[in-house]
Amino acid sequence: MNALAALGEALVLIGTFFYFLSTLGLIRMPDVYNRMQTSTKSATLGSLGVIIGVGVWAVGNGLSWAWLVKATVIAVFLLLTNPISAHALIRAAYMSGIPLWHGSVVDKYREHLEAKEKAETDAPLEGGEE
Amino acid sequence: MVSILKRSLAIISILIIGYWLAQGLAGVPFGQDKMLVGHYYLQHVKEQTGAVNAVTAIVVNYRGFDTLGEVTVLFIASTGVGALLWRKKRERTAKTEGSVVLTTGVELLFPFIVMFGAYIFIHGHLTPGGGFPGGATIATAFLLLYMAFTIYEVPHKAFEKTEGIAGMSYVLVGLIGLAIGGYFLFDWIWQTWQWGTNNLGRLFSGGFIPVIYTIIGIKVGTELSGIVDNMLKEEVRE
């Protein structure tokens, strides 16, 4: 048991803790958007911890460096793709009309969309008058 | 009332079938060595095929005929989808472009996913995977392009020709084996040329397994992309 292995174990432990928090958020949060917020953020962080931790742990246990390299590649891929998928899911949920939590205060995106729609319906009328 | 009767009848019959299957499986001992031909494969796979991955050696080398059949099944599926959905004039029906984050992300990820798919099928004799997972990964990259952009279309002419050429070259490799070694899909690179014999476990070994898996990977990738393309288009009326 050397320092690298201990570091890896600690990282895996932190990662699993964040996994637990992410599941807890999935149960506890009131609406889709809040649930997505908690689950994607902490699940990404938890995965990063677990994956990098496994790589470091394997190197510390005397396995080859290839473990850490592969783990890093997977971690970078996950780090880049997870937010994009979360973004696509949330946008799709909003576009299909899933309501915000009743305690939400502002919805600037709705205002923006309505303003855009209004501008679009007004524009052809002006064109017709000319 | 009828639906409840139907449902309960279905549940009861499924339970009976499940119990019957479980009775049959209960006689099979769990966790014991039941390999008959498996020992032969595991002991001879390295010197006979040059592959470290026994699964791909069995799938491509010992039982290459089954893989040829699978490739044929995929080809028929792709042709069938094309024939079923055939219309004179068809276009994409997607209305909304993906958001900027999505399109940029897909543009950045696309080459990496294609590269990873190529990595999987080139290293079929060394690491888990092979032609089919690699090809499916490449098709996933094209599916991402379809999902993110409204106007994207696969380069049809090049894709369909590549698919046919890849299928033909698989049969061609088998026929060369027939000419050299006496039976279809004979591994001539390993058995006759002895190419890569002292290179076991590295990239340039494994007889014709990497060659065939590259062919299969390209074929499966183009084929599944073609199926996706066919299914995402709808007829346009003028």
Side-chain angles (χ1 to χ4, degrees), chain A residues 42-128:
Chain A
S42 44
T44 311
L45 187 66
S47 322
L48 285 184
V50 168
I51 293 166
I52 297 287
V54 164
V56 173
W57 194 349
V59 171
N61 270 352
L63 296 167
S64 74
W65 282 91
W67 280 77
L68 186 56
V69 174
K70 282 176 187 169
T72 314
V73 168
I74 296 170
V76 168
F77 182 76
L78 216 67
L79 184 67
L80 291 178
T81 50
N82 237 353
I84 299 176
S85 67
H87 163 83
L89 278 173
I90 290 180
R91 202 175 121 95
Y94 195 90
M95 290 300 180
S96 52
I98 290 175
L100 270 67
W101 180 44
H102 57 82
S104 307
V105 185
V106 285
D107 191 355
K108 290 278 185 193
Y109 191 41
R110 167 85 49 207
E111 288 166 23
H112 168 72
L113 284 180
E114 274 165 5
K116 213 166 110 186
E117 205 172 306
K118 208 176 170 193
E120 270 171 15
T121 47
D122 286 353
L125 281 176
E126 284 167 19

Coordinates of all heavy atoms in Angstrom, one line a residue, chain A residues 42-128:
Chain A
S42 N -23.3 16.2 -10.3 CA -22.6 15.4 -9.4 C -22.3 14.0 -9.9 O -21.2 13.4 -9.6 CB -23.4 15.3 -8.1 OG -24.7 15.0 -8.3
A43 N -23.1 13.5 -10.9 CA -22.7 12.3 -11.5 C -21.4 12.4 -12.4 O -20.6 11.5 -12.4 CB -23.8 11.7 -12.3
T44 N -21.3 13.5 -13.1 CA -20.1 13.8 -13.8 C -18.9 13.8 -12.9 O -17.9 13.2 -13.2 CB -20.2 15.1 -14.6 OG1 -21.4 15.1 -15.3 CG2 -19.1 15.2 -15.6
L45 N -19.0 14.6 -11.9 CA -17.9 14.7 -10.9 C -17.6 13.4 -10.3 O -16.4 13.0 -10.2 CB -18.2 15.8 -9.9 CG -17.1 16.1 -8.9 CD1 -16.0 16.8 -9.7 CD2 -17.5 17.0 -7.8
G46 N -18.6 12.6 -9.9 CA -18.4 11.3 -9.3 C -17.7 10.4 -10.2 O -16.8 9.7 -9.8
S47 N -18.1 10.4 -11.5 CA -17.5 9.5 -12.5 C -16.0 9.9 -12.7 O -15.2 9.0 -12.7 CB -18.2 9.6 -13.8 OG -19.6 9.7 -13.7
L48 N -15.8 11.2 -12.7 CA -14.4 11.6 -12.9 C -13.5 11.1 -11.7 O -12.5 10.5 -11.9 CB -14.3 13.1 -12.9 CG -14.7 13.8 -14.2 CD1 -14.5 15.3 -14.1 CD2 -14.0 13.2 -15.4
G49 N -14.1 11.2 -10.5 CA -13.3 10.7 -9.3 C -13.1 9.3 -9.4 O -12.0 8.8 -9.2
V50 N -14.1 8.5 -9.7 CA -14.0 7.0 -9.7 C -13.0 6.6 -10.8 O -12.2 5.8 -10.6 CB -15.4 6.4 -9.9 CG1 -15.2 4.9 -10.2 CG2 -16.2 6.6 -8.7
I51 N -13.2 7.2 -12.0 CA -12.4 6.7 -13.2 C -10.9 7.0 -13.0 O -10.0 6.1 -13.1 CB -12.9 7.3 -14.5 CG1 -14.3 6.7 -14.8 CG2 -12.0 7.0 -15.6 CD1 -15.1 7.5 -15.8
I52 N -10.6 8.3 -12.7 CA -9.2 8.7 -12.4 C -8.7 7.9 -11.2 O -7.5 7.4 -11.2 CB -9.1 10.2 -12.2 CG1 -9.6 11.0 -13.4 CG2 -7.7 10.6 -11.8 CD1 -8.6 10.9 -14.6
G53 N -9.5 7.7 -10.2 CA -9.1 7.0 -9.0 C -8.7 5.6 -9.3 O -7.7 5.1 -8.8
V54 N -9.5 4.9 -10.2 CA -9.2 3.5 -10.6 C -7.9 3.5 -11.3 O -7.0 2.6 -11.0 CB -10.3 2.9 -11.4 CG1 -9.9 1.7 -12.1 CG2 -11.5 2.6 -10.5
G55 N -7.6 4.5 -12.2 CA -6.4 4.5 -12.9 C -5.2 4.7 -12.0 O -4.2 3.9 -12.0
V56 N -5.3 5.6 -11.1 CA -4.2 5.9 -10.1 C -4.0 4.7 -9.2 O -2.9 4.3 -8.9 CB -4.5 7.2 -9.3 CG1 -3.5 7.3 -8.2 CG2 -4.5 8.4 -10.2
W57 N -5.1 4.1 -8.8 CA -5.0 2.9 -7.9 C -4.3 1.8 -8.6 O -3.5 1.1 -8.0 CB -6.5 2.5 -7.5 CG -6.7 1.6 -6.4 CD1 -5.7 0.9 -5.8 CD2 -7.9 1.2 -5.8 NE1 -6.2 0.1 -4.8 CE2 -7.6 0.3 -4.8 CE3 -9.2 1.6 -6.0 CZ2 -8.6 -0.2 -4.0 CZ3 -10.2 1.1 -5.2 CH2 -9.9 0.2 -4.2
A58 N -4.6 1.5 -9.9 CA -4.0 0.4 -10.6 C -2.5 0.7 -10.7 O -1.7 -0.2 -10.5 CB -4.6 0.3 -12.0
V59 N -2.1 1.9 -11.0 CA -0.7 2.2 -11.1 C 0.0 2.0 -9.8 O 1.1 1.5 -9.7 CB -0.5 3.7 -11.7 CG1 1.0 4.1 -11.6 CG2 -0.9 3.8 -13.1
G60 N -0.7 2.5 -8.7 CA -0.1 2.3 -7.4 C 0.0 0.9 -7.0 O 0.9 0.5 -6.3
N61 N -0.9 0.0 -7.6 CA -0.8 -1.4 -7.2 C 0.2 -2.2 -8.1 O 0.3 -3.4 -8.1 CB -2.1 -2.1 -7.4 CG -2.9 -2.0 -6.1 OD1 -2.3 -1.6 -5.0 ND2 -4.1 -2.4 -6.1
G62 N 1.0 -1.4 -9.0 CA 2.0 -2.1 -9.7 C 1.6 -2.5 -11.1 O 2.3 -3.2 -11.8
L63 N 0.3 -2.2 -11.5 CA -0.1 -2.5 -12.9 C 0.5 -1.4 -13.8 O 1.1 -0.4 -13.4 CB -1.6 -2.5 -13.0 CG -2.2 -3.6 -12.2 CD1 -3.7 -3.4 -12.1 CD2 -1.9 -5.0 -12.8
S64 N 0.3 -1.6 -15.1 CA 1.0 -0.7 -16.1 C 0.4 0.7 -16.1 O -0.8 0.9 -15.7 CB 1.0 -1.3 -17.5 OG -0.3 -1.2 -18.0
W65 N 1.1 1.6 -16.7 CA 0.6 3.0 -16.8 C -0.5 3.1 -17.8 O -1.2 4.1 -17.8 CB 1.7 3.9 -17.2 CG 2.7 4.3 -16.1 CD1 3.8 3.6 -15.7 CD2 2.5 5.3 -15.1 NE1 4.3 4.2 -14.6 CE2 3.6 5.3 -14.2 CE3 1.5 6.4 -15.0 CZ2 3.7 6.1 -13.2 CZ3 1.7 7.2 -13.9 CH2 2.8 7.1 -13.1
A66 N -0.7 2.1 -18.6 CA -1.8 2.1 -19.6 C -3.1 2.3 -18.9 O -4.0 2.9 -19.5 CB -1.8 0.8 -20.4
W67 N -3.2 1.8 -17.7 CA -4.5 1.9 -17.0 C -4.8 3.4 -16.8 O -6.0 3.8 -17.1 CB -4.4 1.3 -15.6 CG -4.6 -0.2 -15.6 CD1 -3.7 -1.1 -16.0 CD2 -5.7 -1.0 -15.3 NE1 -4.2 -2.4 -15.9 CE2 -5.4 -2.3 -15.5 CE3 -7.0 -0.6 -14.8 CZ2 -6.4 -3.3 -15.2 CZ3 -7.9 -1.6 -14.5 CH2 -7.6 -2.9 -14.7
L68 N -3.8 4.1 -16.3 CA -4.1 5.6 -16.1 C -4.4 6.3 -17.4 O -5.3 7.2 -17.4 CB -2.9 6.2 -15.4 CG -3.1 7.6 -14.9 CD1 -4.3 7.7 -14.0 CD2 -1.9 8.1 -14.1
V69 N -3.7 5.9 -18.4 CA -3.9 6.6 -19.7 C -5.3 6.4 -20.2 O -6.0 7.3 -20.6 CB -2.8 6.1 -20.7 CG1 -3.1 6.7 -22.1 CG2 -1.4 6.5 -20.3
K70 N -5.7 5.1 -20.2 CA -7.1 4.8 -20.7 C -8.1 5.4 -19.8 O -9.1 6.0 -20.3 CB -7.3 3.2 -20.7 CG -6.6 2.6 -21.8 CD -6.7 1.1 -21.8 CE -5.9 0.5 -22.9 NZ -5.8 -1.0 -22.7
A71 N -7.9 5.4 -18.5 CA -8.8 6.0 -17.6 C -9.0 7.5 -17.8 O -10.1 8.1 -17.9 CB -8.4 5.8 -16.1
T72 N -7.8 8.2 -18.1 CA -7.9 9.6 -18.4 C -8.6 9.9 -19.7 O -9.4 10.8 -19.8 CB -6.4 10.1 -18.6 OG1 -5.7 9.6 -17.5 CG2 -6.4 11.6 -18.5
V73 N -8.4 9.0 -20.7 CA -9.1 9.2 -22.0 C -10.7 9.1 -21.8 O -11.4 9.9 -22.2 CB -8.7 8.2 -23.0 CG1 -9.6 8.2 -24.2 CG2 -7.3 8.5 -23.5
I74 N -11.0 8.1 -21.0 CA -12.5 7.9 -20.7 C -13.0 9.1 -19.9 O -14.1 9.6 -20.2 CB -12.7 6.6 -19.9 CG1 -12.3 5.4 -20.8 CG2 -14.2 6.5 -19.5 CD1 -12.3 4.1 -20.0
A75 N -12.2 9.6 -19.0 CA -12.7 10.7 -18.1 C -12.8 11.9 -19.0 O -13.8 12.7 -18.8 CB -11.7 10.9 -17.0
V76 N -11.9 12.2 -19.9 CA -12.0 13.4 -20.7 C -13.2 13.3 -21.6 O -14.0 14.3 -21.8 CB -10.7 13.6 -21.5 CG1 -10.9 14.6 -22.6 CG2 -9.6 14.0 -20.6
F77 N -13.4 12.1 -22.2 CA -14.6 11.9 -23.0 C -15.9 12.2 -22.3 O -16.8 12.9 -22.7 CB -14.6 10.5 -23.6 CG -15.7 10.2 -24.5 CD1 -15.7 10.7 -25.8 CD2 -16.8 9.5 -24.1 CE1 -16.8 10.4 -26.7 CE2 -17.9 9.2 -24.9 CZ -17.8 9.7 -26.2
L78 N -16.0 11.6 -21.0 CA -17.2 11.8 -20.2 C -17.3 13.3 -19.8 O -18.4 13.8 -19.9 CB -17.0 11.0 -19.0 CG -18.3 10.4 -18.4 CD1 -18.8 9.3 -19.4 CD2 -18.1 9.7 -17.1
L79 N -16.2 13.9 -19.5 CA -16.3 15.4 -19.1 C -16.8 16.2 -20.3 O -17.5 17.2 -20.1 CB -14.9 15.8 -18.7 CG -14.7 17.2 -18.2 CD1 -15.4 17.3 -16.9 CD2 -13.2 17.5 -18.0
L80 N -16.4 15.8 -21.5 CA -16.9 16.6 -22.7 C -18.3 16.3 -23.1 O -19.0 17.2 -23.6 CB -16.0 16.4 -23.9 CG -14.6 17.0 -23.7 CD1 -13.7 16.6 -24.9 CD2 -14.6 18.5 -23.5
T81 N -18.7 15.1 -22.9 CA -20.0 14.7 -23.5 C -21.2 14.8 -22.5 O -22.3 15.1 -22.9 CB -20.0 13.2 -24.0 OG1 -19.5 12.4 -23.0 CG2 -19.2 13.1 -25.2
N82 N -20.9 14.6 -21.2 CA -22.0 14.6 -20.3 C -22.8 15.9 -20.2 O -24.0 16.0 -20.3 CB -21.5 14.3 -18.9 CG -22.2 13.1 -18.3 OD1 -23.2 12.6 -18.9 ND2 -21.7 12.6 -17.2
P83 N -22.1 17.1 -20.2 CA -22.8 18.4 -20.2 C -23.6 18.6 -21.4 O -24.7 19.1 -21.4 CB -21.7 19.4 -20.1 CG -20.5 18.7 -19.5 CD -20.6 17.3 -20.0
I84 N -23.1 18.1 -22.6 CA -23.8 18.3 -23.9 C -25.1 17.5 -23.8 O -26.2 18.0 -24.2 CB -22.9 17.9 -25.1 CG1 -21.7 18.7 -25.1 CG2 -23.7 18.0 -26.3 CD1 -20.7 18.3 -26.2
S85 N -25.0 16.3 -23.3 CA -26.2 15.5 -23.3 C -27.2 16.1 -22.3 O -28.4 16.1 -22.6 CB -25.9 14.0 -22.9 OG -25.4 14.0 -21.6
A86 N -26.7 16.6 -21.2 CA -27.6 17.2 -20.2 C -28.3 18.4 -20.8 O -29.5 18.6 -20.7 CB -26.9 17.6 -19.0
H87 N -27.5 19.2 -21.6 CA -28.0 20.4 -22.2 C -29.1 20.0 -23.2 O -30.2 20.6 -23.2 CB -26.9 21.1 -22.9 CG -27.4 22.1 -24.0 ND1 -27.8 23.4 -23.6 CD2 -27.6 21.9 -25.3 CE1 -28.1 24.0 -24.7 NE2 -28.0 23.1 -25.8
A88 N -28.9 19.0 -24.0 CA -29.9 18.5 -25.0 C -31.1 18.0 -24.4 O -32.2 18.4 -24.8 CB -29.3 17.4 -25.9
L89 N -31.0 17.3 -23.3 CA -32.1 16.7 -22.6 C -33.0 17.9 -22.0 O -34.2 17.9 -22.1 CB -31.7 15.8 -21.4 CG -31.4 14.4 -21.8 CD1 -30.8 13.6 -20.7 CD2 -32.6 13.7 -22.3
I90 N -32.3 18.8 -21.3 CA -33.1 19.9 -20.7 C -33.8 20.8 -21.7 O -35.0 21.1 -21.6 CB -32.1 20.8 -19.8 CG1 -31.7 19.9 -18.6 CG2 -32.8 22.0 -19.3 CD1 -30.8 20.6 -17.7
R91 N -33.1 21.1 -22.8 CA -33.7 21.9 -23.9 C -34.9 21.2 -24.5 O -35.9 21.8 -24.7 CB -32.6 22.1 -25.0 CG -32.9 23.3 -25.8 CD -31.8 23.5 -26.7 NE -32.2 23.5 -28.1 CZ -32.5 24.6 -28.8 NH1 -32.4 25.8 -28.2 NH2 -33.0 24.5 -30.0
A92 N -34.7 19.8 -24.7 CA -35.8 19.1 -25.3 C -37.0 19.1 -24.3 O -38.2 19.2 -24.7 CB -35.4 17.6 -25.6
A93 N -36.7 19.0 -23.0 CA -37.8 19.0 -22.0 C -38.5 20.3 -22.0 O -39.7 20.4 -22.0 CB -37.2 18.7 -20.6
Y94 N -37.7 21.4 -22.1 CA -38.4 22.7 -22.1 C -39.2 22.9 -23.4 O -40.3 23.4 -23.3 CB -37.3 23.8 -22.0 CG -37.9 25.2 -21.7 CD1 -38.0 25.6 -20.4 CD2 -38.3 26.0 -22.7 CE1 -38.6 26.8 -20.0 CE2 -38.9 27.2 -22.4 CZ -39.0 27.6 -21.0 OH -39.6 28.8 -20.7
M95 N -38.7 22.5 -24.5 CA -39.4 22.7 -25.8 C -40.6 21.9 -25.8 O -41.6 22.2 -26.5 CB -38.5 22.2 -27.0 CG -37.3 23.1 -27.2 SD -37.8 24.8 -27.6 CE -36.3 25.6 -27.8
S96 N -40.7 20.7 -25.2 CA -41.9 19.9 -25.2 C -42.9 20.3 -24.1 O -43.8 19.6 -23.7 CB -41.6 18.4 -25.1 OG -40.7 18.2 -24.0
G97 N -42.6 21.5 -23.4 CA -43.5 22.1 -22.6 C -43.7 21.6 -21.2 O -44.7 21.6 -20.6
I98 N -42.6 21.0 -20.6 CA -42.6 20.5 -19.3 C -42.5 21.8 -18.3 O -41.6 22.6 -18.5 CB -41.5 19.5 -19.0 CG1 -41.8 18.2 -19.7 CG2 -41.4 19.3 -17.5 CD1 -40.8 17.2 -19.7
P99 N -43.5 21.9 -17.4 CA -43.5 23.2 -16.6 C -42.4 23.2 -15.6 O -41.9 22.2 -15.1 CB -44.8 23.1 -16.0 CG -45.1 21.7 -15.9 CD -44.5 21.0 -17.1
L100 N -42.0 24.5 -15.3 CA -41.0 24.7 -14.2 C -41.7 24.4 -12.8 O -43.0 24.3 -12.7 CB -40.5 26.1 -14.2 CG -39.3 26.4 -15.0 CD1 -39.6 26.2 -16.4 CD2 -38.8 27.8 -14.7
W101 N -40.9 24.3 -11.8 CA -41.5 24.1 -10.5 C -42.3 25.3 -10.1 O -42.0 26.4 -10.5 CB -40.3 23.9 -9.5 CG -40.7 23.7 -8.1 CD1 -41.7 22.9 -7.6 CD2 -40.1 24.3 -6.9 NE1 -41.7 22.9 -6.3 CE2 -40.8 23.8 -5.8 CE3 -39.1 25.2 -6.8 CZ2 -40.5 24.2 -4.5 CZ3 -38.8 25.6 -5.5 CH2 -39.5 25.1 -4.4
H102 N -43.4 25.0 -9.3 CA -44.3 26.1 -9.1 C -43.7 27.2 -8.2 O -44.2 28.4 -8.2 CB -45.6 25.6 -8.4 CG -45.3 24.9 -7.1 ND1 -45.1 25.5 -5.9 CD2 -45.2 23.6 -6.9 CE1 -44.9 24.6 -5.0 NE2 -44.9 23.4 -5.5
G103 N -42.6 26.9 -7.6 CA -41.9 28.0 -6.8 C -40.9 28.8 -7.6 O -40.2 29.6 -7.0
S104 N -40.8 28.5 -8.9 CA -39.8 29.2 -9.7 C -40.2 30.7 -9.8 O -41.4 31.0 -9.9 CB -39.7 28.6 -11.1 OG -39.4 27.2 -11.0
V105 N -39.2 31.6 -9.9 CA -39.5 33.0 -9.8 C -39.5 33.6 -11.2 O -40.5 34.3 -11.7 CB -38.5 33.7 -8.9 CG1 -38.9 35.2 -8.8 CG2 -38.5 33.1 -7.6
V106 N -38.4 33.4 -12.0 CA -38.4 34.0 -13.3 C -38.2 33.0 -14.4 O -37.7 31.9 -14.1 CB -37.2 35.1 -13.4 CG1 -37.5 36.3 -12.7 CG2 -35.9 34.4 -12.9
D107 N -38.7 33.3 -15.6 CA -38.5 32.4 -16.7 C -38.1 33.3 -17.9 O -38.9 33.7 -18.8 CB -39.8 31.7 -17.0 CG -39.5 30.6 -18.0 OD1 -38.4 30.5 -18.6 OD2 -40.4 29.8 -18.3
K108 N -36.9 33.8 -18.0 CA -36.4 34.7 -19.0 C -36.5 34.1 -20.4 O -36.7 34.8 -21.4 CB -35.0 35.1 -18.7 CG -34.8 36.0 -17.5 CD -35.2 37.4 -17.8 CE -34.9 38.3 -16.6 NZ -35.5 39.7 -16.8
Y109 N -36.3 32.8 -20.5 CA -36.3 32.1 -21.8 C -37.6 32.2 -22.4 O -37.8 32.4 -23.6 CB -35.8 30.7 -21.6 CG -35.5 30.0 -22.9 CD1 -34.8 30.6 -23.9 CD2 -35.8 28.6 -23.1 CE1 -34.5 30.0 -25.1 CE2 -35.5 28.0 -24.3 CZ -34.9 28.7 -25.3 OH -34.6 28.1 -26.4
R110 N -38.7 32.0 -21.6 CA -40.1 32.1 -22.1 C -40.3 33.5 -22.6 O -40.8 33.7 -23.7 CB -41.0 31.7 -21.0 CG -42.5 32.1 -21.2 CD -43.2 31.0 -22.0 NE -43.0 29.7 -21.5 CZ -43.1 28.6 -22.2 NH1 -43.3 28.7 -23.5 NH2 -42.9 27.4 -21.7
E111 N -39.9 34.5 -21.9 CA -40.0 35.9 -22.3 C -39.3 36.1 -23.6 O -39.9 36.7 -24.5 CB -39.5 36.9 -21.2 CG -40.4 36.9 -20.0 CD -39.6 37.6 -18.8 OE1 -38.7 38.4 -19.1 OE2 -40.0 37.3 -17.7
H112 N -38.1 35.6 -23.7 CA -37.3 35.8 -24.9 C -38.1 35.1 -26.1 O -38.2 35.7 -27.2 CB -36.0 35.1 -24.7 CG -35.2 35.0 -26.0 ND1 -34.6 36.1 -26.7 CD2 -34.9 33.9 -26.7 CE1 -34.0 35.6 -27.7 NE2 -34.1 34.3 -27.8
L113 N -38.5 33.9 -25.9 CA -39.2 33.2 -27.0 C -40.5 33.9 -27.4 O -40.8 34.1 -28.6 CB -39.6 31.8 -26.6 CG -38.5 30.7 -26.5 CD1 -39.0 29.4 -26.1 CD2 -37.8 30.6 -27.9
E114 N -41.2 34.5 -26.4 CA -42.5 35.2 -26.8 C -42.2 36.5 -27.5 O -42.8 36.8 -28.5 CB -43.2 35.5 -25.5 CG -44.1 34.3 -25.1 CD -44.6 34.4 -23.7 OE1 -44.4 35.5 -23.0 OE2 -45.3 33.5 -23.2
A115 N -41.1 37.2 -27.1 CA -40.7 38.4 -27.8 C -40.3 38.1 -29.2 O -40.7 38.8 -30.2 CB -39.5 39.1 -27.1
K116 N -39.6 37.0 -29.4 CA -39.2 36.6 -30.8 C -40.4 36.3 -31.6 O -40.5 36.7 -32.8 CB -38.3 35.4 -30.7 CG -37.2 35.4 -31.7 CD -36.1 34.3 -31.4 CE -36.2 33.2 -32.3 NZ -35.3 32.1 -31.9
E117 N -41.3 35.5 -31.0 CA -42.5 35.2 -31.8 C -43.3 36.4 -32.2 O -43.8 36.5 -33.3 CB -43.4 34.3 -30.9 CG -44.3 33.3 -31.6 CD -45.0 32.3 -30.7 OE1 -44.2 31.7 -30.0 OE2 -46.2 32.3 -30.7
K118 N -43.4 37.3 -31.3 CA -44.1 38.6 -31.5 C -43.5 39.4 -32.7 O -44.1 39.9 -33.6 CB -44.2 39.4 -30.3 CG -45.4 40.3 -30.2 CD -45.4 41.1 -28.9 CE -46.5 42.1 -28.9 NZ -46.3 43.1 -27.8
A119 N -42.2 39.5 -32.6 CA -41.4 40.2 -33.6 C -41.6 39.5 -35.0 O -41.8 40.2 -36.0 CB -39.9 40.2 -33.3
E120 N -41.7 38.2 -35.0 CA -41.9 37.5 -36.3 C -43.3 37.7 -36.8 O -43.5 37.8 -38.0 CB -41.7 36.0 -36.1 CG -40.2 35.6 -36.3 CD -39.9 34.2 -35.9 OE1 -40.9 33.4 -35.7 OE2 -38.7 33.8 -35.8
T121 N -44.3 37.7 -35.9 CA -45.7 37.9 -36.4 C -45.9 39.4 -36.9 O -46.7 39.6 -37.7 CB -46.7 37.6 -35.4 OG1 -46.3 38.1 -34.1 CG2 -46.9 36.0 -35.2
D122 N -45.2 40.3 -36.2 CA -45.3 41.7 -36.6 C -44.7 42.0 -38.0 O -45.2 42.8 -38.7 CB -44.7 42.6 -35.5 CG -45.6 42.6 -34.3 OD1 -46.7 42.1 -34.4 OD2 -45.2 43.2 -33.3
A123 N -43.5 41.4 -38.2 CA -42.7 41.7 -39.4 C -43.5 41.6 -40.7 O -43.4 42.5 -41.5 CB -41.4 40.9 -39.4
P124 N -44.2 40.5 -41.0 CA -44.8 40.4 -42.3 C -45.9 41.4 -42.5 O -46.2 41.9 -43.6 CB -45.5 39.0 -42.2 CG -44.7 38.3 -41.1 CD -44.3 39.3 -40.2
L125 N -46.6 41.8 -41.4 CA -47.6 42.9 -41.5 C -47.1 44.2 -42.0 O -47.6 44.8 -42.9 CB -48.3 43.1 -40.1 CG -49.3 42.0 -39.7 CD1 -49.8 42.3 -38.3 CD2 -50.5 42.0 -40.7
E126 N -45.9 44.5 -41.4 CA -45.3 45.8 -41.9 C -44.9 45.7 -43.4 O -45.0 46.6 -44.1 CB -44.0 46.0 -41.0 CG -44.3 46.6 -39.7 CD -43.1 46.6 -38.7 OE1 -42.0 46.5 -39.3 OE2 -43.3 46.6 -37.5
G127 N -44.4 44.4 -43.7 CA -44.0 44.2 -45.1 C -45.2 44.4 -46.1 O -45.1 44.9 -47.2
G128 N -46.4 44.0 -45.6 CA -47.6 44.0 -46.4 C -48.0 45.4 -46.7 O -48.6 45.7 -47.7

